[in-house]
Amino acid sequence: MEASIQRVLTIAGSDSGGGAGIQADLKTFSAFGVFGMSVVTAVTAQNTTRVHGVEGLSPEFVALQFEAVLSDIGVDAVKTGMLLNAEIVRVVADKLKESGIPHVVCDPVMVAKGGDRLLDEDAVAMMREKLLPAVTLVTPNIPEAESLSGIPIDSARALKKAAETIHALGPGAVLVKGGHLKGDAVDVLFDGNEFVRFTDIRIDSIRTHGTGCTYSAAIAANLARGLPLREAVRISKAFVTAAIREAYPLGKGHGPLNHFVRVEGM
Ligand code: PXL
């Protein structure tokens, strides 16, 4: 289905604080000029300091939202974020497989900045077995890459090995984000053939809430705009770096990014 504006869907959790989750995704979609839609998996009561509570939706209602959007408006690209539990991971994987949506970016969200779990521990196996084979790109940070691969990442070599191990689970490509390591913020993209490194200076900031959400949403938006994967990653990383640099002083904890920034190519 061809449309006059690219249609991009986020399947994720709501962050009442507006910095991460569905809210970060929709702000990012707007920043890149694509039409954003949302399938809500869970609602968090949350601010910049902590998660006060989480309520999940039923897998059936997650599926109903997806079917409603897909049957009428259509979807050019999707990103998945917080999926909460194994049943939701399974239904999202099944729906994505049967949909044939060309670009699927999976941010394998597991734990919030403050340490609260956003994905049940027993859902990680479901993610490996059912969801990863159904996606174009998966974007783990270091702890998520360790969990998905079973490999402790303490060196550049271990990071590459983890990327290969995750790739073997079936996604089109893997982007391991090195933001949790020391030194420059180096991300490594592995598409099954080649490793490509994306390097940016590290910005020391506590205003990094929603960074992963924003990054994966930007990649989905740019794949929908027709950019090749490497270009989509490059512009998305530049956007996230600028959005951290220009972040507003909001809240007493991990503040949100500034989604109004512009970078070249937007
Ligand atoms: O950044 C991961 C994330 C994803 N989704 C929701 C969140 C968070 C982090 O707090 O709240 C809803």
Side-chain angles (χ1 to χ4, degrees):
M1 210 194 314
E2 275 289 313
S4 52
I5 183 167
Q6 290 84 19
R7 303 152 298 181
V8 187
L9 173 68
T10 170
I11 305 176
S14 165
D15 170 9
S16 53
I22 293 275
Q23 287 78 1
D25 296 341
L26 292 175
K27 290 174 190 183
T28 303
F29 295 161
S30 288
F32 282 96
V34 301
F35 181 75
M37 298 167 286
S38 59
V39 166
V40 180
T41 58
V43 179
T44 69
Q46 186 178 180
N47 55 29
T48 65
T49 69
R50 68 184 182 98
V51 177
H52 292 240
V54 178
E55 288 214 359
L57 275 79
S58 70
E60 294 75 24
F61 204 78
V62 170
L64 194 61
Q65 294 173 74
F66 184 85
E67 287 155 11
V69 166
L70 195 67
S71 64
D72 176 39
I73 302 166
V75 177
D76 299 304
V78 51
K79 76 144 272 188
T80 67
M82 174 185 180
L83 298 178
L84 187 64
N85 59 40
E87 295 71 40
I88 293 178
V89 173
R90 182 200 291 277
V91 79
V92 167
D94 288 346
K95 286 286 156 196
L96 288 174
K97 240 174 262 168
E98 69 186 47
S99 73
I101 295 168
H103 308 291
V104 180
V105 180
C106 168
D107 181 15
V109 172
M110 294 182 189
V111 179
K113 283 255 150 42
D116 301 86
R117 279 207 79 87
L118 300 176
L119 181 74
D120 291 351
E121 231 149 315
D122 69 354
V124 176
M126 188 71 76
M127 189 171 262
R128 293 163 55 140
E129 285 161 32
K130 298 271 186 223
L131 185 57
L132 292 196
V135 311
T136 323
L137 174 70
V138 61
T139 63
N141 58 28
I142 299 281
E144 290 158 357
E146 291 181 327
S147 172
L148 289 171
S149 68
I151 296 171
I153 301 174
D154 49 10
S155 65
R157 202 162 147 230
L159 191 150
K160 280 185 162 186
K161 187 91 192 95
E164 285 171 341
T165 303
I166 296 167
H167 185 264
L169 297 169
V174 183
L175 179 66
V176 182
K177 299 170 293 185
H180 288 69
L181 296 175
K182 293 202 170 66
D184 280 350
V186 181
D187 304 337
V188 175
L189 178 69
F190 180 61
D191 63 3
N193 293 309
E194 267 185 280
F195 287 95
V196 183
R197 285 160 54 94
F198 299 85
T199 305
D200 228 319
I201 52 154
R202 166 182 306 279
I203 301 163
D204 259 318
S205 173
I206 57 157
R207 298 181 194 129
T208 54
H209 179 60
T211 303
C213 307
T214 299
Y215 199 177
S216 57
I219 296 171
N222 283 290
L223 292 174
R225 292 170 79 208
L227 267 59
L229 181 58
R230 281 182 201 184
E231 264 310 290
V233 171
R234 194 197 55 73
I235 190 171
S236 299
K237 185 168 174 70
F239 178 69
V240 168
T241 302
I244 295 172
R245 186 183 299 120
E246 306 293 329
Y248 333 94
L250 292 175
K252 299 175 188 70
H254 288 280
L257 312 189
N258 181 349
H259 292 93
F260 290 110
V261 292
R262 309 294 302 169
V263 296
E264 210 175 301
M266 285 179 79

